[in-house]
Amino acid sequence: MIVVMKHTLMFIDDETDNLDALERVFRKKYDVIKCSSGPEALKVLKNLDHISVIISDQRMPDMTGVEFLEKSMKTHPNCIRILLTGYTDLDSVIAAINSGQVYRYITKPWDTRDLQITVDQAVEKFELESELKVKNQKLEKALNELKTLDQAKSQFMILINHELKTPLT
């Protein structure tokens, strides 16, 4: 029996109504974690290792979305990050892309269908990157085995060459 685990989304927003709306949109398809601030979300992240997508509001008290996303890189570098904000501040967009490795920038009020498509694409990107990582590890292991076999073959050829050049006694 194959058990399919839902991907986990983390939403960070200081507005409870936004968190509730996002949860209603995504709770059927994904596991949803809601946090009302960056510091709270960082505490939650310390205890989780299976977050696929993080969606953060930009303007929050205590910590901006960009600051949170940048700090989340240290503990969860493989997560896909989306910045959600009502302000179209070009500097924050540039900072988000450069320091927080943001996959997409979405403005409020969001179009629910567009947001669903974006999150589905982010989850697909997460899956593909995870699969690529596993395949690269397998390739690295196979390469190391081939290097070992090549070294053994070379030693064997040296031994045979020596034996063939040595006159019979």
Side-chain angles (χ1 to χ4, degrees):
M1 181 175 163
I2 297 174
V3 177
V4 178
M5 290 182 58
K6 284 183 172 181
H7 286 273
T8 303
L9 309 179
M10 174 181 266
F11 296 105
I12 303 96
D13 198 323
D14 58 327
E15 297 177 35
T16 309
D17 292 341
N18 287 341
L19 289 173
D20 293 341
L22 290 165
E23 181 180 31
R24 280 191 301 276
V25 171
F26 293 103
R27 69 180 167 210
K28 289 181 184 174
K29 192 171 184 180
Y30 302 105
D31 289 329
V32 174
I33 297 172
K34 303 183 302 184
C35 297
S36 59
S37 70
E40 176 190 346
L42 288 173
K43 288 178 187 173
V44 171
L45 280 178
K46 287 182 181 178
N47 300 318
L48 296 173
D49 60 351
H50 61 280
I51 303 287
S52 302
V53 179
I54 298 173
I55 300 173
S56 177
D57 183 27
Q58 169 58 11
R59 297 228 177 161
M60 297 181 288
D62 300 325
M63 183 184 298
T64 67
V66 171
E67 290 171 337
F68 166 75
L69 293 174
E70 187 175 359
K71 289 180 181 186
S72 72
M73 288 291 300
K74 294 174 185 157
T75 57
H76 292 73
N78 299 326
C79 288
I80 306 300
R81 290 158 177 77
I82 297 173
L83 189 66
L84 184 67
T85 185
Y87 303 93
T88 53
D89 176 16
L90 187 59
D91 291 335
S92 67
V93 174
I94 292 169
I97 292 168
N98 289 339
S99 62
Q101 293 190 359
V102 171
Y103 170 70
R104 183 100 186 263
Y105 178 88
I106 298 175
T107 57
K108 292 180 185 176
W110 63 81
D111 175 77
T112 302
R113 187 68 193 130
D114 182 47
L115 184 60
Q116 286 174 321
I117 291 169
T118 299
V119 169
D120 289 345
Q121 289 172 343
V123 167
E124 183 179 359
K125 178 179 167 80
F126 177 82
E127 287 175 345
L128 290 172
E129 286 178 351
S130 298
E131 186 179 325
L132 181 62
K133 186 176 178 181
V134 168
K135 289 187 179 196
N136 280 340
Q137 289 172 344
K138 287 180 181 178
L139 280 172
E140 185 72 30
K141 182 179 176 187
L143 176 63
N144 289 334
E145 289 173 3
L146 281 173
K147 285 179 180 178
T148 302
L149 289 172
D150 184 51
Q151 188 177 21
K153 176 201 66 139
S154 295
Q155 291 295 328
F156 177 74
M157 294 303 288
I158 290 171
L159 179 66
I160 293 298
N161 188 30
H162 175 71
E163 291 298 321
L164 289 174
K165 287 184 177 180
T166 303
L168 292 174
T169 55

